[in-house]
């Protein structure tokens, strides 16, 4: 896909979550979080493996209890993708998770208790050479900061984050990334813009508690894309009240649209009208489902008639243009002699797309 805008990334340090680099121009990684009960080892491992199939780079798990930490120990041994342990309130759970192989911790230092406990976590992370995310959230700001600002504002989020950043700095711990999330897109964007000027640590960006699939996708896309276009953001998490697989797919779609990082098929399809010569909507949906396993980035256009069909087909890796009873196929911009019978479009296109993906696989 042609890139019309060059994005200059904000300069940042690099950290590693397992083998995944974050910051300093590393590819922007796509994260998600399990929503199974972490104590249910089978279900959690299955969900992580489902997330791996759609390309997740890093998975976060909640560790709300000692039992969950014990399960985490076993889960960690059964999966390949780097895991982040998400800890609130109880610093002992953080220490256990580090001991049990977490590749990174996410903490909100404000709710961990006193500085001594936070410093114990930092020392343990240093010993194991793993990073930490300082995760500040507009829904759980410290009381004194909330009292000062009256409500969660961008300034309040940044002040909270900077308080923790300074403490981490004072302990000579540099392997951390920061997030300042809110469910309000404007608030989150402003907070990230402000924070990006104050520190050089990598930024984990996202719109928290964005909502269900449609609304959450729109909010996340607007917020994350707006920041990425300004070069802000080193790793992303789309937060949806939906199956976490959708978070990864939407995350990649955002990166794909911005030509930042591509994975899988980019379908170009028309909205359809009475000129369509075959059922475009059903065809695209079926092909999307059947071809989810393809990770090679390729553009495929599926257009209902010649009005826009030829132009799109010429720019795509494979392009189909609806015709009466038979449709025309373009491959790498060249019209193919053999047409496809309209009733065979799904089977034939699946075959053609798989061939093309194999050809372009690095
Ligand atoms: Fe209608 Fe053809 Fe346009 Fe598709 S490309 S919306 S079928 S006119």
């Amino acid at each position: 896909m042609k890139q019309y805008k060059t994005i200059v990334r904000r300069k940042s340090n690099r950290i590693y979550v397992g083998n995944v680099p974050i910051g300093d121009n590393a590819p922007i990684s796509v994260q998600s979080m399990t929503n199974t009960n972490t104590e249910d080892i089978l279900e959690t491992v299955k969900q992580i493996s489902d997330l791996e199939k759609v390309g997740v780079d890093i998975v976060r798990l909640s560790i709300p209890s000692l039992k969950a930490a014990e399960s985490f120990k076993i889960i960690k041994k059964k999966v390949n993708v780097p895991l982040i342990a998400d800890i609130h309130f109880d610093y002992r759970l953080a220490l256990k998770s580090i001991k049990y192989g977490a590749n990174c911790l996410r903490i909100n230092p404000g709710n961990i208790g006193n500085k001594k406990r936070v410093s114990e976590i930092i020392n343990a992370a240093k010993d194991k050479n793993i990073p930490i995310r300082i995760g500040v959230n507009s829904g759980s700001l410290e009381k004194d900061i909330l009292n000062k600002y009256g409500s969660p504002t961008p300034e309040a989020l940044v002040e909270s984050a900077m308080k923790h950043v300074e403490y981490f700095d004072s302990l000579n711990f540099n392997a951390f990334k920061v997030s300042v999330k809110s469910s309000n897109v404007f608030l989150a964007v402003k907070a990230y813009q402000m924070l990006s000027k104050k520190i050089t640590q990598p930024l984990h960006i996202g719109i928290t508690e964005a909502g269900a699939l449609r609304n959450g996708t729109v909010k996340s896309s607007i917020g994350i894309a707006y920041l990425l276009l300004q070069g802000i953001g080193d790793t992303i998490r789309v937060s949806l009240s939906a199956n976490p697989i959708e978070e990864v797919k939407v995350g990649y779609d955002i990166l794909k649209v911005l030509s930042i990082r591509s994975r899988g098929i980019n379908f170009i399809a028309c909205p359809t009208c009475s000129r369509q010569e075959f059922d475009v909507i059903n065809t695209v949906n079926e092909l999307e489902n059947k071809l989810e396993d393809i990770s090679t980035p390729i553009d495929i256009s599926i257009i209902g008639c010649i009005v826009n069909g030829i132009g799109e087909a010429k720019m795509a890796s494979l392009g189909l243009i609806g015709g009466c009873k038979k449709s025309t196929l373009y491959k790498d911009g060249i019209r193919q002699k053999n047409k496809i019978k309209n009733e065979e479009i799904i089977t034939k296109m699946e075959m053609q797309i798989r061939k093309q993906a194999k050809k372009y696989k690095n």
Side-chain angles (χ1 to χ4, degrees), residues 34-226:
T34 53
N35 60 7
T36 51
N37 179 351
T38 307
E39 291 177 20
D40 187 335
I41 296 167
L42 274 182
E43 276 297 301
T44 306
V45 168
K46 184 184 175 307
Q47 191 169 70
I48 294 171
S49 133
D50 290 344
L51 287 166
E52 281 188 85
K53 284 182 195 142
V54 291
V56 76
D57 293 307
I58 299 166
V59 177
R60 181 157 51 111
L61 291 83
S62 256
I63 312 292
S65 63
L66 272 177
K67 209 168 164 205
E70 295 301 329
S71 301
F72 178 79
K73 181 182 179 183
I74 301 166
I75 293 164
K76 181 73 187 93
K77 289 180 183 148
K78 290 180 180 284
V79 301
N80 297 315
V81 70
L83 298 184
I84 300 180
D86 189 270
I87 310 290
H88 289 279
F89 312 117
D90 191 343
Y91 79 111
R92 290 167 306 173
L93 299 176
L95 299 178
K96 279 265 182 215
S97 302
I98 294 173
K99 186 173 159 200
Y100 291 159
N103 298 103
C104 176
L105 285 190
R106 181 267 164 136
I107 57 170
N108 181 347
N111 70 24
I112 289 291
N114 57 42
K115 281 187 174 175
K116 191 173 164 286
R117 288 177 176 175
V118 177
S119 78
E120 270 195 59
I121 296 174
I122 291 176
N123 287 334
K126 264 188 196 168
D127 283 349
K128 289 272 186 180
N129 201 20
I130 64 160
I132 294 177
R133 165 158 70 102
I134 298 174
V136 171
N137 196 309
S138 63
S140 53
L141 275 174
E142 298 95 320
K143 264 195 186 140
D144 56 331
I145 293 183
L146 255 188
N147 288 340
K148 177 175 168 188
Y149 290 93
S151 66
T153 61
E155 291 76 11
L157 285 175
V158 172
E159 184 169 322
S160 170
M162 286 309 294
K163 197 171 85 178
H164 306 311
V165 167
E166 280 154 21
Y167 185 57
F168 277 43
D169 281 346
S170 73
L171 296 175
N172 286 322
F173 185 72
N174 199 29
F176 64 93
K177 54 188 173 134
V178 187
S179 63
V180 277
K181 292 190 185 179
S182 168
S183 56
N184 180 303
V185 174
F186 290 102
L187 204 162
V189 164
K190 183 78 185 152
Y192 277 110
Q193 286 173 324
M194 290 168 63
L195 186 66
S196 69
K197 294 188 181 113
K198 289 180 179 284
I199 59 172
T200 53
Q201 264 72 32
L203 295 178
H204 163 122
I205 62 168
I207 303 301
T208 196
E209 290 119 25
L213 187 56
R214 189 185 63 196
N215 193 25
T217 298
V218 173
K219 275 192 221 166
S220 299
S221 305
I222 292 171
I224 292 174
Y226 191 83

Side-chain angles (χ1 to χ4, degrees), residues 1-5 7 229 252-262:
M1 198 193 301
K2 190 172 173 182
Q3 194 172 4
Y4 292 92
K5 182 174 176 18
I7 298 168
L229 284 169
Y252 273 108
D253 283 344
I254 294 171
L255 298 180
K256 204 188 295 180
V257 170
L258 299 178
S259 299
I260 289 177
R261 190 176 163 199
S262 285

Side-chain angles (χ1 to χ4, degrees), residues 269-277 280 302-309:
C270 73
T272 78
C273 72
S274 131
R275 287 181 194 275
Q276 70 171 344
E277 302 281 7
V280 172
I302 308 278
I303 307 288
C305 79
I306 55 162
V307 171
N308 293 320

